Amino acid sequence: QVQLVESGGGSVQAGGSLTLSCAGSGYTYSSNCMAWFRQAPGKEREGVAALDPDGSTTYLDSVKGRFTISRDNAKNILYLQMNNLKPEDTAMYYCAAAQRAPPQGMLHPVGYNFWGQGTQVTVSS
């Protein structure tokens, strides 16, 4: 069975950095579209960053220049490097995988059929 497990969340001051990791099992990351989503209380889930099998990346406008998505294919680990964190980045972050290109776009949850449990990121001012 496919499993995704996030780690690396925590509390950080505004301007700080965190790196999230998503360890996968049951399949090879390189053959899937991978993405990070987040959801804050009272807000809609939003796609933060995505990485397709050919290495192309897609980012939420508000995180461009601050966040970087990458993966280690050999280790089957997806990363999200988050720099210059802002309080509005506070959310539960989820790792997701899609076996084929998501029909509504890389940052839309439709089409992502595997999800992790989430890791909390809290950014204080």
Side-chain angles (χ1 to χ4, degrees), residues 26-37:
Y27 74 106
T28 302
Y29 275 10
S30 62
S31 65
N32 290 270
C33 296
M34 304 295 300
W36 289 96
F37 291 81

Side-chain angles (χ1 to χ4, degrees), residues 39 57 85 91 95:
Q39 187 166 23
T57 58
L85 283 160
C95 174

Side-chain angles (χ1 to χ4, degrees), residues 24-101:
S25 63
Y27 74 106
T28 302
Y29 275 10
S30 62
S31 65
N32 290 270
C33 296
M34 304 295 300
W36 289 96
F37 291 81
R38 67 186 182 188
Q39 187 166 23
K43 295 185 178 181
E44 297 291 326
R45 183 185 300 173
E46 62 181 355
V48 177
L51 179 64
D52 69 18
D54 69 8
S56 297
T57 58
T58 306
Y59 294 96
L60 180 68
D61 285 344
S62 63
V63 309
K64 288 180 179 178
R66 299 190 297 120
F67 290 11
T68 302
I69 187 171
S70 64
R71 64 180 166 225
D72 184 328
N73 290 332
K75 297 181 178 180
N76 250 23
I77 300 177
L78 181 74
Y79 300 99
L80 183 67
Q81 175 65 48
M82 304 183 292
N83 297 322
N84 191 25
L85 283 160
K86 304 176 183 296
E88 53 263 42
D89 294 319
T90 295
M92 183 72 74
Y93 283 71
Y94 299 91
C95 174
Q99 295 178 309
R100 58 186 61 84

